[in-house]
Amino acid sequence: MLLMVVVGVMPVRAQEKRAMTVKELFELVETGSKTLQETKTSVDFAQKGVEAARAQRLPDINASLSASYNGNVVVMDRDFTNAQGFSSPHFGNSFALEAQQVVYAGGAVNAGMRVAELQRDMAVSGQRATSNAQRFMALGQYLDLFKIQNRMQVYEQNIALTRRLIDDIHAKQEQGMALKNDVTRYELQMETLLLGLRRLQDQQAILNHQLCNTLGINEVSIVPDSTIVSQAFAKDNQRLRVGASAGMQYWQQAALTSSTQMEQSELSTKMAEQQLKLAKSELLPKVAVVAADNFSGPFTYDIPPIDKNINYWYVGVGVRYNLSSLFKQNKKVRQAKTGVLRSQEQQKVVAESLDNQIQQAWTLWQQTYVDLDTQKKSVELARQNYEVVNERYLNQLALITDMLDASNIRLNAELQEVDARINIVYAYYKLKFISGTL
């Protein structure tokens, strides 16, 4: 019966296994994440905006060409009497070419270019933020998968231990030293362990499927790197955990220089400053160099019309000033100044929030080491308790309920120790995620 149950909890079909380190995980996120690909398109779109803004420095050139049929001319008095007709050349043509180059626009052109560049930088920063978030999400799934696989090992070890204990109880029952009820209790315990293992296998299948989708790869059975706890950041831990204040200052400084939240806040302030320049530019005149040529015929400004082509051209300087800006634009300038002040205040809020997040993440990271030390001690005591109770039970000095309690205490302690080890890794990478260095 036990063999049938064990077969029942085995995976329905074997999948190809793929060992994966955290470095490989991050590389696959960069190449396979659909969310990240969308942000890369946004960066390309913003770059095209920069090119369009730079094109505003180029001259404006307009050309027009037309051909027409002209009717005869009729001349009459103002009271519509004494009408007289004149024959007019029927074919008309016109060609005009005009070029204009802005030489001064109050800084509007340069400010517009700078705004477009800042929007591109904001898109790049958004891509980095998305990459950071996608890496952290994939890492969370990866570590949860690792945690489940470790929990499955704990369950398998406890199942093997329970199976041996059931055999011992069967032997004692045959000798008349144990009751059938004792065997039944441990068989129920075995069923509970097998059910727990099956649930972990189902959770593993769900998480593995989600992680493969996140990475954009065909579904395989991902095997996390078993050395991640001891290998990934041992040197950093030794260096950064010496002195709480020094280590925390390192991460707080890293957040100020690398965090995408801080970067985007600074870019928002710079964009507000450029918007202020654009608002001020409307208070200044616009100066442009203008050149034009016009070739047309016939000459219809004479009576009768003259069937000849006429060409004229000019070159000059044009100045334009919007007088209404004197009483309209000043309000927009004041609004833009307030926008700059608001962005600066928001930047301070972001810096304060990052400081709080780093302090919290740092404290929780330190706490995970204390948790692990506590769980190690708990596992040691739980195993000692199990051995003592097992020995007492075999010598008929303890009840079967005592053995079940000891087994459950040992199982829970071992599971919590497994989780505590993974929690250290998660807390460390959360620090890197908040600081923007993931």
Side-chain angles (χ1 to χ4, degrees):
M1 180 187 68
L2 291 176
L3 179 60
M4 292 175 64
V5 174
V6 172
V7 171
V9 300
M10 290 177 63
V12 176
R13 61 184 181 89
Q15 284 184 341
E16 175 189 354
K17 292 186 177 182
R18 177 172 178 175
M20 187 177 296
T21 63
V22 173
K23 180 180 178 181
E24 293 171 338
L25 178 79
F26 289 163
E27 290 174 350
L28 287 172
V29 168
E30 292 297 323
T31 58
S33 171
K34 298 179 180 62
T35 303
L36 194 55
Q37 293 301 318
E38 187 273 334
T39 60
K40 292 179 179 178
T41 304
S42 298
V43 173
D44 292 338
F45 179 80
Q47 178 59 37
K48 297 298 187 294
V50 173
E51 296 172 3
R54 288 175 179 171
Q56 297 303 310
R57 284 182 168 179
L58 301 175
D60 293 326
I61 302 176
N62 298 312
S64 63
L65 176 65
S66 65
S68 61
Y69 177 85
N70 301 322
N72 292 325
V73 179
V74 177
V75 179
M76 65 185 71
D77 293 339
R78 296 298 299 275
D79 59 358
F80 304 102
T81 60
N82 297 324
Q84 183 179 2
F86 295 92
S87 177
S88 174
H90 294 303
F91 175 74
N93 59 273
S94 175
F95 173 74
L97 180 66
E98 183 179 4
Q100 177 176 294
Q101 173 65 59
V102 176
V103 294
Y104 179 74
V109 176
N110 290 335
M113 288 174 50
R114 185 58 183 150
V115 168
E117 291 171 351
L118 290 171
Q119 289 174 341
R120 177 201 56 197
D121 295 342
M122 186 71 79
V124 172
S125 180
Q127 180 183 348
R128 286 186 55 238
T130 302
S131 174
N132 207 33
Q134 289 294 304
R135 286 185 175 199
F136 190 64
M137 183 181 72
L139 180 70
Q141 295 171 336
Y142 178 87
L143 292 179
D144 285 342
L145 192 61
F146 190 21
K147 187 182 293 186
I148 287 176
Q149 291 178 358
N150 286 342
R151 280 175 161 254
M152 288 171 60
Q153 293 178 3
V154 172
Y155 265 91
E156 289 167 354
Q157 293 169 3
N158 278 270
I159 287 172
L161 185 63
T162 302
R163 186 174 291 113
R164 289 197 299 269
L165 187 57
I166 289 175
D167 293 339
D168 291 341
I169 296 175
H170 272 296
K172 289 181 63 177
Q173 183 187 18
E174 292 175 357
Q175 297 172 8
M177 299 173 63
L179 300 175
K180 182 176 182 353
N181 188 48
D182 295 343
V183 177
T184 302
R185 284 174 178 264
Y186 255 95
E187 287 177 345
L188 289 174
Q189 176 76 354
M190 173 65 81
E191 292 292 336
T192 301
L193 290 173
L194 291 172
L195 178 60
L197 179 60
R198 177 55 188 264
R199 287 175 175 171
L200 287 175
Q201 289 174 338
D202 291 341
Q203 292 177 15
Q204 180 190 27
I206 293 171
L207 273 174
N208 190 83
H209 180 79
Q210 293 175 349
L211 182 55
C212 288
N213 280 339
T214 300
L215 301 179
I217 61 176
N218 295 328
E219 188 163 355
V220 294
S221 181
I222 296 176
V223 181
D225 182 9
S226 60
T227 64
I228 185 175
V229 176
S230 58
Q231 167 189 329
F233 47 86
K235 292 182 180 179
D236 285 340
N237 288 344
Q238 294 296 326
R239 178 169 60 88
L240 299 178
R241 293 184 69 217
V242 176
S245 60
M248 190 185 303
Q249 288 175 3
Y250 168 85
W251 289 104
Q252 288 172 336
Q253 184 60 37
L256 291 176
T257 56
S258 302
S259 170
T260 53
Q261 296 181 51
M262 200 66 202
E263 182 182 29
Q264 290 176 354
S265 177
E266 292 172 353
L267 289 172
S268 295
T269 300
K270 292 179 179 178
M271 289 182 65
E273 292 171 350
Q274 295 302 318
Q275 292 295 339
L276 176 58
K277 290 183 178 180
L278 282 172
K280 289 182 176 180
S281 69
E282 292 297 323
L283 294 171
L284 300 173
K286 310 297 185 292
V287 181
V289 176
V290 182
D293 183 85
N294 192 293
F295 178 85
S296 62
F299 185 77
T300 59
Y301 298 100
D302 198 359
I303 301 298
I306 303 172
D307 191 13
K308 291 182 180 294
N309 290 319
I310 182 172
N311 183 79
Y312 63 92
W313 60 271
Y314 63 87
V315 175
V317 176
V319 178
R320 182 175 63 86
Y321 186 76
N322 186 2
L323 293 175
S324 62
S325 64
L326 293 174
F327 52 88
K328 287 184 177 180
Q329 196 63 25
N330 55 348
K331 297 177 177 60
K332 292 186 178 180
V333 170
R334 287 198 294 269
Q335 182 186 23
K337 288 181 179 178
T338 304
V340 172
L341 181 60
R342 183 185 62 177
S343 297
Q344 292 172 345
E345 294 298 330
Q346 289 176 343
Q347 190 172 338
K348 294 177 183 178
V349 172
V350 171
E352 179 181 331
S353 175
L354 276 175
D355 182 83
N356 290 335
Q357 291 179 53
I358 289 293
Q359 191 275 338
Q360 181 185 25
W362 166 267
T363 303
L364 294 178
W365 181 38
Q366 302 303 302
Q367 182 181 324
T368 57
Y369 286 94
V370 179
D371 291 344
L372 178 59
D373 292 339
T374 302
Q375 294 306 325
K376 284 181 178 179
K377 187 64 176 179
S378 297
V379 169
E380 180 183 351
L381 294 175
R383 288 175 177 173
Q384 290 177 2
N385 177 67
Y386 179 86
E387 296 298 333
V388 171
V389 174
N390 185 45
E391 184 66 25
R392 287 169 57 83
Y393 177 76
L394 293 177
N395 293 324
Q396 296 184 327
L397 297 176
L399 299 175
I400 187 66
T401 54
D402 297 329
M403 276 299 300
L404 290 172
D405 290 340
S407 297
N408 290 330
I409 291 172
R410 174 175 174 169
L411 174 63
N412 291 331
E414 290 175 342
L415 290 175
Q416 291 176 12
E417 182 192 12
V418 167
D419 292 348
R421 294 181 182 277
I422 306 302
N423 289 340
I424 291 177
V425 184
Y426 181 82
Y428 171 76
Y429 278 104
K430 187 173 183 179
L431 260 177
K432 293 178 71 67
F433 167 66
I434 295 173
S435 64
T437 57
L438 187 59

